[in-house]
Structure formats: structure tokens, C-alpha cells
Amino acid sequence: QALRQISQRTISTASRRQFNNRVPENQKLFQEDNGLPVHLKGGTKDSLLYRTTAGLTVCGTIYAFYYLLVSSMPKKPN
């Protein structure tokens, strides 16, 4: 009985909340012709995410080529 009241209260209060629809704002932002690629139009957060991803990709590629080079070298006998 108590569990049902708690669940009904949670559902009923969640449905009353009004969320601000920001889709038109975002459409205007992303469709604006300002010379930026779409993956950078979100601002500083998008730019930071892009640069971090690019940096990790470059580092991972260098790391992979390094270990490919190391594993291709014959081992010296002791």
C-alpha cells in the first residue's frame, strides 16, 4: 500500500514538471552559417572534446606504430 502511494506520487509529480523546449534555439545555432563545422558549433565544450579526441587518436597511432616497430625487431640472444 505504501509502496504504491510512493510510486504514484513520483509519477504524478514527474508529469507536472514543465521542461523548456530548447530545440528551436539549437536549430538556429546549428543552422547558422558562420563558417564553423557542425561538430564545433556547440562552443568550448565541443572544441575541447574534439581536440582531446584528436590528440588521443594521434597518440594511439604513434603508440601502435612504435610497438609494431619494436615487435618486428629480432630479439638479441643473451
Side-chain angles (χ1 to χ4, degrees):
Q1 182 71 8
L3 182 61
R4 186 165 31 146
Q5 286 179 347
I6 290 172
S7 65
Q8 284 177 345
R9 187 179 310 138
T10 304
I11 291 169
S12 66
T13 56
S15 63
R16 277 190 235 138
R17 289 187 201 139
Q18 292 293 321
F19 292 106
N20 190 12
N21 185 7
R22 295 176 48 195
V23 171
E25 296 171 23
N26 287 336
Q27 283 177 336
K28 198 178 289 185
L29 172 72
F30 283 97
Q31 290 175 354
E32 182 180 329
D33 188 18
N34 56 5
L36 287 174
V38 72
H39 60 274
L40 295 178
K41 285 191 177 190
T44 307
K45 198 165 42 170
D46 280 352
S47 179
L48 184 64
L49 183 63
Y50 173 74
R51 289 180 184 182
T52 302
T53 304
L56 287 173
T57 302
V58 168
C59 290
T61 303
I62 292 170
Y63 184 73
F65 278 125
Y66 171 75
Y67 271 97
L68 186 64
L69 180 72
V70 166
S71 62
S72 68
M73 298 290 176
K75 287 191 174 189
K76 294 180 183 176
N78 288 337

